[in-house]
Amino acid sequence: MNRFEYIKAPSVGEAIKMMNSTVPEAIINANKGGAHIVKAAGVDLLDLIKEGVVSPDRVIDLRQIPGLDKLNFDQQNGLSFGPMVTIATLAENKEVYKNYRALHEATAHAATPQIRNMATMGGNLMQRPRCWYFRSEGHHCLKKGGDVCFAQKGQNQLHAIFDTQICPCVHPSSIATALVAFDAKVELSGPDGKRNLLLSEFFTLPEANVTCENNAQSKEIITNITLPVLKPGTRSFYIKQGQRESYDWSMGDVAVVLEMEGKQCKTARIVLGAAAPVPMRASKAEALLKGKTITEKLAAKAGELAVEGATPMEHNHYKIQLFKTLVKRSILAAV
Ligand SMILES: Cc1cc2nc3c(=O)[nH]c(=O)nc-3n(C[C@H](O)[C@H](O)[C@H](O)COP(=O)(O)OP(=O)(O)OC[C@H]3O[C@@H](n4cnc5c(N)ncnc54)[C@H](O)[C@@H]3O)c2cc1C
């Protein structure tokens, strides 16, 4: 591990300034030229530093900045929360349970109780992929700036079944699956001010930039996350499958948000997690449900359409049946 400077930022403005200013010379000399990086709870960041994936010359702690851990809900504006809100806070919030059931399920089933108590939502969305080649010090893979993707011909059982050509790492945030299904937005603050992006546009495919999973600039910080008010009659559900019940990332997860009028589905949003390098909408399955009464047969057909066009890799064909089942079950559980 390289030497780095550790600073507690007193405000977002100061944190952004610290991202732009230079570190003391002694640290520059002791470091291989790493970047400045922000820290939330450090659950992923400390692993990344220890694994040699990142070697920052300055770590800027956001934990003590007042206001970044606020959560608000009201019927006019929907749900809004700061990046330092923990996964446990969302999982335990009554309004989230009542109004955004899929988000409740996603947060309640992420990681372990200990991690949920520490880990923040900003860190969750910015965590780096769990591909073992990316995390291994012995593999200088494409995602780390090398020229080989070892997963293409290697151990790819937990990798993508869509968009696999360049780097088939899946995004590790299972909570993002539910957030994308609810049309969530992130607010990014940087040297040029603030901007808001739909979460579905925030995450990017490897062809845009294989070394990064999102559109945030290196000096931008996530400062807020918002979910819109839902139309009356909206129902949602989320199911995650891991290798173990707890203590694990997703092998496949699905979030479904259905706008219902009586028994009829007016519009559907179905998102697959750990199927592609980004949380992925299953648009054909969504179109199938529109205007129809939900039945078991229809939900099963939606599951089949959700995996149409998939190109599974050598060791992950099982994900086809997994997603068919998860889509069917989550639709039936939502209504
Ligand atoms: C055993 C285990 C199981 C897990 N299972 C799951 C799971 O099932 N589902 C799931 O979704 N996650 C899972 N996780 C991941 C966990 O949720 C994340 O590691 C955690 O949310 C990171 O939050 P943090 O606050 O510790 O972020 P940190 O580790 O502090 O930061 C992570 C990254 O985000 C950046 N960052 C942090 N905050 C901001 C911000 N506000 N703006 C810009 N960049 C920022 C940091 O620079 C760093 O690169 C698991 C983790 C473990 C260890």
Side-chain angles (χ1 to χ4, degrees), residues 37-45 48 62 83 87 109-111 115 118-120 122-124 126-127 172-175 220-222 240 247-250:
I37 197 158
V38 293
K39 174 191 158 294
V43 175
D44 194 34
L45 183 61
L48 291 167
L62 305 177
I87 299 175
H109 290 97
I115 292 168
M118 290 269 301
T120 69
N124 182 273
M126 293 293 288
Q127 62 175 306
S173 170
S174 55
I175 301 170
E220 281 182 322
I221 298 173
I222 296 179
K240 171 184 156 192
Y247 230 90
D248 216 351
W249 281 267
S250 158

Side-chain angles (χ1 to χ4, degrees), residues 102-124:
L103 180 59
H104 163 79
E105 296 296 333
T107 47
H109 290 97
T112 65
Q114 292 92 335
I115 292 168
R116 293 198 288 272
N117 280 333
M118 290 269 301
T120 69
M121 281 308 302
N124 182 273

Side-chain angles (χ1 to χ4, degrees), residues 8 20 24 29 34 63 68 73 104 197 249 260 265 318 326:
K8 291 183 176 184
N20 284 294
N29 294 339
R63 283 187 108 181
L68 289 187
F73 172 80
H104 163 79
L197 279 180
W249 281 267
M260 301 294 293
C265 173
Y318 72 92
L326 292 180

Side-chain angles (χ1 to χ4, degrees), residues 121-147:
M121 281 308 302
N124 182 273
L125 296 177
M126 293 293 288
Q127 62 175 306
R128 306 299 312 276
R130 304 306 305 183
C131 170
W132 30 59
Y133 300 108
F134 173 65
R135 296 273 169 169
S136 143
E137 273 196 271
H139 294 83
H140 189 52
C141 75
L142 212 54
K143 195 166 249 319
K144 288 192 282 197
D147 46 22

